Amino acid sequence: FARALDCTSTVRQPSLHMSAAAASRDITLFHAMNTLHKHSYDSSKALRSLVPDGGPVLCRDEMEEWSASEANLFEEALDKYGKDFNDIRQDFLPWKSLKSIVEYYYMW
């Protein structure tokens, strides 16, 4: 108990984000082991149980919707306006939604 109150103690508590990361790995490992156990340690059956019947659900990536010329226009606009996405949209990419432009910026 005294060590917990002593600020000069060399024992350090793990930070919150490190604890959360460790807990996440524990849950993932637990889920993997549980899935294997439920399928009598047959890895192909366990993997099939994780994929929906119609196959994997794929989400379209926003980056795919941007052509090379649109990406070049975006970079030009970024040089001119910085992160003023309204002006970028108005002067360079009026056919793109503001949402799409902001998403592209953060995925760029």
Side-chain angles (χ1 to χ4, degrees), residues 6-62:
D6 181 8
C7 294
T8 63
S9 172
T10 58
V11 176
R12 292 188 163 258
Q13 295 296 322
S15 65
L16 183 59
H17 74 279
M18 293 301 287
S19 297
S24 175
R25 284 191 299 274
D26 289 347
I27 281 295
T28 303
L29 180 61
F30 174 77
H31 181 63
M33 296 304 287
N34 187 47
T35 302
L36 272 173
H37 180 71
K38 283 195 310 192
H39 293 90
S40 302
Y41 297 92
D42 183 334
S43 59
S44 65
K45 283 182 185 176
L47 286 172
R48 279 196 302 272
S49 77
L50 298 173
V51 179
D53 288 335
V57 178
L58 301 175
C59 298
R60 228 167 88 196
D61 187 5
E62 284 290 320

Side-chain angles (χ1 to χ4, degrees), residues 3 39 41 62 64 66 81:
R3 185 178 286 232
H39 293 90
Y41 297 92
E62 284 290 320
E64 293 174 9
W66 287 69
Y81 293 119

Side-chain angles (χ1 to χ4, degrees), residues 60-66 99-100 103-104 107:
R60 228 167 88 196
D61 187 5
E62 284 290 320
M63 300 289 277
E64 293 174 9
E65 296 181 15
W66 287 69
K99 177 182 181 282
S100 180
E103 284 176 347
Y104 185 79
M107 295 167 64

